[in-house]
């Protein structure tokens, strides 16, 4: 219980620290609780890194394909840098992983028109499995944006009742970074942050267990699409709307405060007169 | 080494981490962060010297406002001494409670004073208070004016700040601008921060610097003060308008480039069709 409380406090603090410095923030906190560092890192959402194999094929590096300091490629199932005695998905799951990557790549193409996607699967003790569907997209340096990136982290936990019912629980985090480093009018401007959403659905698989792999991919894919689309619509109003509102209620534009007070004054008069 | 000595050494190791974390916490949330840090480190409470020092630094960097019965003071590195803050105008030293943001006590003190500069300082204070009332969130806002030197060679220091703190609705914001001027030059630094953390953690951080030539006439204090504050407000308003323009243009140039709301076909992805097609391709 004590470790749970400490990790909870760390996550509370991380929610308040600037997400642009997530690596530094995480390092600072894990230095306070070195025994629980691994556990904490797995709960942290940060922009996804990109690695490559010896032929230059890129793949996403994440907690979900990491063993020590090496990362597993979803294309050839090898670790880079190479290590002995690493963790691999079971043969069955690896087949599912290959199929999922092919289909998810099409999703990426349709919605992102660029960027990089990777899916990673791992076995669980309860007979189910879990998977992470990840996307990283960078914004080209354009119209004053120095750096901009989107990282989707979709983690799906998959359980069965042993018969034909499958339950999918998804947790999606979108990490956005937008950096403008030298705008004439505003100087250095940066908005960075994460939004998270969860959803759970259960479905009956087709009788006889036929094409169960395709079934999983369709169900997981549909969930990912729904939650990502929802978060994308939220980002507009939260990233921009909310931070903008906070600034403009701290420091009003010229004349704004007077007109608010005028309206409040008129509303007060109206109330008095007409009750 | 006995138990007590071991613990002291450990906590000293934590000092650097505590300083970093509290320094980077948005204004309004430092007390909560310190509580959580105490839980993580264990055997330490928010009144420990390490926590209090980190909180003091945090408050000074954010121009924290401390209230008393009939007065208030902004704290910054400029008027900070080890145990107290200097109130130049009222010739006082002030002791504060950093956790409660309250003034604990005040004592009279003799400070160097220049009548000509005092006049300008008082006029500036008047103009700044007018400026604050017109354009800032009055729940938490304040300004300071201090000077160094004499009539022949002076530097004035101004600080302007307003904060929005709404923890039940998961957001905070601060506007912190610090200025200094000599007879001919005005320079300023602005820090704007916003933090929204319902279902996530989204932060805006914006910094800008300003520099403008001016001409200060000490014999016309009221007029000089008006001009200086007018220049400051003009520069700050220009910055705010720039932010507004940026916000208006961002959805187009940023979000569109990130992820489409729907594929170019106008319909959601057909998973059934794609799953069968792509997996068949794989087998080949």
């Amino acid at each position: 219980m004590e470790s749970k409380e400490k990790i909870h406090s760390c996550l509370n603090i991380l929610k308040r620290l600037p997400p642009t410095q997530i690596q530094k923030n995480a390092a600072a906190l894990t230095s306070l609780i070195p025994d629980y560092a691994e556990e904490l890192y797995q709960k942290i959402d940060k922009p996804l890194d990109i690695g490559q194999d010896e032929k230059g094929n890129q793949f996403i590096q994440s907690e979900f394909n990491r063993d020590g300091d090496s990362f597993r490629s979803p294309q050839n199932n090898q670790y880079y840098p190479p290590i002995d005695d690493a963790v691999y998905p079971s043969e069955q799951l690896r087949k599912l992983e290959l199929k999922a990557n092919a289909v998810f790549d099409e999703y990426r193409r349709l919605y992102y028109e660029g960027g990089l996607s990777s899916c990673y699967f791992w076995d669980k003790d309860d007979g189910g499995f879990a998977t992470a569907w990840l996307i990283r997209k960078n914004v080209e340096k354009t119209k004053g944006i120095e750096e901009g990136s989107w990282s989707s982290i979709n983690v799906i936990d998959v359980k069965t009742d042993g018969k034909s019912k499958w339950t999918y629980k998804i947790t999606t985090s979108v990490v956005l970074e937008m950096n403008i480093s030298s705008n004439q009018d505003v100087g250095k401007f940066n908005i960075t942050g994460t939004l998270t959403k969860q959803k759970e659905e259960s479905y009956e698989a087709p009788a006889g267990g036929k094409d169960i792999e395709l079934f999983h991919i369709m169900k997981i894919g549909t969930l990912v699409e729904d939650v990502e689309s929802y978060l994308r619509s939220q980002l507009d109003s939260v990233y921009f709307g909310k931070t903008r509102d906070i600034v403009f209620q701290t420091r009003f534009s010229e004349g704004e405060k007077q007109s608010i007070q005028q309206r409040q004054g008129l509303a007060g008069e109206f109330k008095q007169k007409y009750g | 080494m006995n138990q007590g000595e071991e613990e002291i050494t450990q906590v000293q190791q934590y000092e650097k981490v505590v300083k970093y974390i509290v320094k980077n916490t948005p204004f309004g949330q430092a007390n909560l962060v310190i509580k959580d840090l105490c839980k993580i480190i264990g055997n330490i409470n928010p009144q420990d010297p390490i926590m209090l020092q980190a909180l003091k630094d945090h408050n000074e960097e954010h121009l924290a406002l401390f209230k008393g019965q009939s007065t208030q003071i902004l704290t910054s590195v400029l008027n900070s001494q080890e145990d107290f803050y200097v109130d130049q105008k009222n010739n006082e030293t002030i002791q504060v409670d950093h956790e409660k943001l309250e003034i604990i006590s005040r004592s009279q003190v003799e400070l160097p004073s220049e009548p000509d500069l005092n006049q300008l300082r008082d006029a500036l204070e008047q103009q700044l208070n007018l400026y604050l009332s017109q354009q800032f969130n009055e729940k938490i806002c304040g300004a300071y004016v201090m000077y160094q030197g004499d009539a022949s060679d002076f530097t004035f220091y101004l600080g302007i700040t307003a904060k929005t703190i709404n923890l039940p609705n998961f957001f905070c914001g601060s506007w912190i601008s610090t200025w200094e001027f000599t007879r001919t030059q005005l320079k300023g630094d602005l820090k704007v921060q916003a933090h929204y953390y319902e279902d996530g953690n989204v932060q805006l951080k914006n910094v800008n610097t300003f520099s403008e030539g001016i001409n200060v006439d000490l014999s016309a204090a009221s007029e000089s003060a008006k001009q200086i504050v007018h220049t400051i407000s003009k520069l700050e308003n220009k910055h705010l308008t720039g932010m507004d323009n940026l916000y208006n243009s961002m959805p187009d140039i940023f979000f569109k480039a990130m992820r489409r709301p729907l594929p170019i076909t106008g319909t959601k992805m057909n998973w059934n069709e794609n799953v069968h097609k792509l997996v068949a391709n794989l087998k080949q």
Side-chain angles (χ1 to χ4, degrees), chain A residues 106-115 135 137 139 150 152 174 176 224-236, chain B residues 251-252 254-269:
Chain A
E106 177 64 9
Y107 168 86
R108 177 200 55 73
R109 193 187 67 80
L110 287 171
Y111 279 96
Y112 292 83
E113 298 175 328
I135 293 184
K137 172 104 190 268
V139 157
W150 164 301
S152 283
V174 174
L176 262 202
V224 168
E225 183 180 39
D226 281 347
V227 181
E228 279 201 350
S229 295
Y230 171 79
L231 283 177
R232 192 235 181 263
S233 70
Q234 288 290 88
L235 289 167
D236 224 314
Chain B
D252 265 343
F254 186 60
F255 279 125
K256 271 197 185 156
M258 282 300 176
R259 181 191 187 277
R260 307 180 58 92
L262 273 179
I264 202 158
T265 56
T267 55
K268 300 212 290 186
M269 171 155 161

Side-chain angles (χ1 to χ4, degrees), chain A residues 137 232 244 250-251 257, chain B residues 131 136 164 237 244 257 259:
Chain A
K137 172 104 190 268
R232 192 235 181 263
R244 186 197 178 283
T250 307
R251 208 265 185 212
K257 202 172 177 190
Chain B
Y131 178 42
F136 289 84
T164 294
N237 281 328
D244 202 17
R259 181 191 187 277

Side-chain angles (χ1 to χ4, degrees), chain A residues 163-225:
Chain A
K163 290 174 241 174
S164 59
K165 181 166 134 192
W166 290 87
T167 300
Y168 305 87
K169 182 167 175 197
I170 187 170
T171 304
T172 300
S173 294
V174 174
V175 185
L176 262 202
E177 288 177 292
M178 189 192 71
N179 204 20
I180 292 167
S181 54
S182 48
N183 178 298
Q184 227 176 338
D185 291 329
V186 303
K188 287 200 227 180
F189 186 99
N190 178 295
I191 300 183
T192 298
T194 313
L195 283 187
T196 301
K197 182 155 175 72
Q198 286 185 320
K199 201 175 177 189
E200 186 172 310
E201 298 280 3
S202 294
Y203 304 102
E204 289 290 327
K210 188 169 134 73
D211 288 339
I212 187 67
E213 290 185 332
L214 305 188
F215 181 80
H216 285 319
I217 293 174
M218 280 197 290
K219 293 307 176 191
I220 293 172
T222 307
L223 267 176
V224 168
E225 183 180 39

Side-chain angles (χ1 to χ4, degrees), chain B residues 63-185:
Chain B
L63 297 190
L65 185 67
F66 290 75
K67 296 208 164 159
Q69 269 184 340
S70 54
T71 187
Q72 61 182 34
I73 184 167
L74 277 189
T75 54
S76 91
V77 289
L78 292 176
N79 64 343
S80 170
Q81 297 293 322
E82 238 182 79
D83 278 333
F84 53 83
Y85 293 90
V86 177
D87 184 348
Q88 193 186 49
K89 173 172 174 160
N90 297 314
N91 281 300
E92 283 182 339
T93 58
I94 298 186
Q95 286 191 306
V96 303
D97 180 326
H98 280 282
E99 283 178 278
K100 299 195 184 126
L101 293 179
E102 281 170 6
I103 293 176
I104 301 174
S105 66
R106 299 148 66 182
S107 320
Q108 290 293 311
V109 78
E110 188 81 35
L111 294 172
S113 179
E114 297 282 326
D116 289 337
L117 300 185
N118 288 346
Q119 262 205 327
L120 181 56
R121 181 191 58 209
D122 294 348
L124 282 167
E125 206 175 85
Q126 214 181 25
Q127 289 302 316
L128 283 176
N129 285 335
L130 183 60
Y131 178 42
L132 285 174
S133 73
Q134 285 169 341
Q135 295 206 249
F136 289 84
N137 175 359
E138 65 216 11
K139 275 198 202 145
I140 307 177
C141 74
Y144 66 71
V145 187
M146 289 180 253
Y147 66 75
Q148 249 180 9
D150 57 39
S152 61
D153 182 16
F154 60 78
T155 306
F156 269 79
Y157 301 93
L158 310 175
I160 299 166
T161 187
K163 318 286 198 311
T164 294
I165 300 178
N166 192 332
L167 302 186
N169 288 306
F170 309 104
F171 67 85
C172 280
S174 48
W175 179 285
I176 298 165
S177 78
T178 50
W179 302 81
E180 60 179 78
F181 69 84
T182 58
R183 195 180 293 274
T184 56
Q185 175 84 195

